[in-house]
Amino acid sequence: EDQVTQSPEALRLQEGESSSLNCSYTVSGLRGLFWYRQDPGKGPEFLFTLYSAGEEKEKERLKATLTKKESFLHITAPKPEDSATYLCAVQPYTGANSKLTFGKGITLSVRP
Amino acid sequence: DGGITQSPKYLFRKEGQNVTLSCEQNLNHDAMYWYRQDPGQGLRLIYYSQIVNDFQKGDIAEGYSVSREKKESFPLTVTSAQKNPTAFYLCASSTTGFSGNTIYFGEGSWLTVV
């Protein structure tokens, strides 16, 4: 069974204090690992897809990296507007359109 | 603008009632999904459909029903058999195929039992 564990559950940072969010996974062959941002009361917003170990992707203050067992979302010099819940999900190689398994999310609060 | 539209945003259900949540997409995606989100839990898949007139049960399908009569539409009915329906419901869509298929979400619908 595919599993995704995100840590920590919650993270409070001072504005400008860089940190990383962790997503550990077990999957029967990884097709893709996805990161989403979710604001309170809203649907998740797509951030990144990573396909193979060693891959990195960046967007503004965010950088996502991938190994064979985990993914990190690095936040450099965060701002209060980066406060949100960050979700990680994995998609296995089991058919033409296999289902995503989501972690519980990491709630990030950035204080000014 | 391309996207996924869910309605209503807020819905109240009385005990014993069936309610239907609407989901429409104009992204020309073949696959559509319904997820349920509860506090402190990850998103859980209710139903998904990869093509018109076909759908499959997800991990928590009991007490729910869906239809897929048009490519653009995938309504979800929460039946009276669903014992704990209060939750945030998310509709999503994606392309299909053997590459990684990014799933895009709507804005969600809140369902509360009164």
Side-chain angles (χ1 to χ4, degrees):
Chain A
E1 182 179 333
D2 303 331
Q3 289 191 325
V4 176
T5 302
Q6 293 188 249
S7 62
E9 289 185 11
L11 182 62
R12 299 186 68 183
L13 299 175
Q14 198 70 34
E15 184 172 3
E17 179 188 0
S18 301
S19 188
S20 297
L21 312 181
N22 177 261
C23 172
S24 298
Y25 66 91
T26 55
V27 66
S28 52
L30 181 69
R31 173 178 288 169
L33 184 142
F34 302 84
W35 282 99
Y36 291 86
R37 169 193 170 125
Q38 186 176 24
D39 294 304
K42 300 285 186 71
E45 173 190 349
F46 169 71
L47 293 174
F48 304 107
T49 307
L50 302 168
Y51 296 104
S52 59
E55 188 175 2
E56 298 183 355
K57 289 191 176 176
E58 289 188 62
K59 180 181 180 179
E60 297 180 358
R61 295 177 293 281
L62 300 176
K63 183 169 82 171
T65 62
L66 181 65
T67 72
K68 289 186 177 180
K69 293 183 179 181
E70 56 192 351
S71 177
F72 291 94
L73 185 64
H74 307 277
I75 302 177
T76 302
K79 298 182 178 182
E81 53 261 42
D82 294 320
S83 298
T85 296
Y86 291 85
L87 304 174
C88 172
V90 295
Q91 184 180 41
Y93 264 117
T94 54
N97 198 48
S98 51
K99 300 176 290 181
L100 296 189
T101 297
F102 281 84
K104 294 182 179 181
I106 298 171
T107 301
L108 173 65
S109 299
V110 182
R111 301 187 298 268
Chain B
D1 286 351
I4 301 169
T5 302
Q6 292 186 236
S7 63
K9 180 67 176 178
Y10 301 96
L11 187 60
F12 298 91
R13 192 193 92 169
K14 294 182 179 179
E15 295 283 350
Q17 264 187 344
N18 293 351
V19 293
T20 298
L21 307 179
S22 170
C23 179
E24 303 277 334
Q25 55 98 0
N26 60 5
L27 299 169
N28 198 33
H29 286 166
D30 287 311
M32 296 188 73
Y33 313 80
W34 275 105
Y35 285 89
R36 170 179 172 144
Q37 189 173 35
D38 296 281
Q41 296 200 40
L43 274 68
R44 294 183 290 170
L45 184 63
I46 304 171
Y47 268 97
Y48 65 105
S49 167
Q50 298 185 38
I51 196 168
V52 174
N53 293 322
D54 187 49
F55 48 83
Q56 287 78 41
K57 293 181 179 180
D59 301 318
I60 55 166
E62 185 175 351
Y64 299 97
S65 65
V66 294
S67 62
R68 188 86 186 277
E69 297 177 0
K70 299 188 299 181
K71 184 176 182 177
E72 304 79 19
S73 179
F74 192 42
L76 174 73
T77 296
V78 184
T79 74
S80 57
Q82 171 50 240
K83 298 307 178 187
N84 185 25
T86 296
F88 189 48
Y89 290 87
L90 288 160
C91 179
S93 70
S94 74
T95 57
T96 57
F98 286 95
S99 61
N101 307 114
T102 299
I103 291 181
Y104 296 91
F105 288 87
E107 286 298 288
S109 294
W110 290 95
L111 174 62
T112 303
V113 174
V114 296

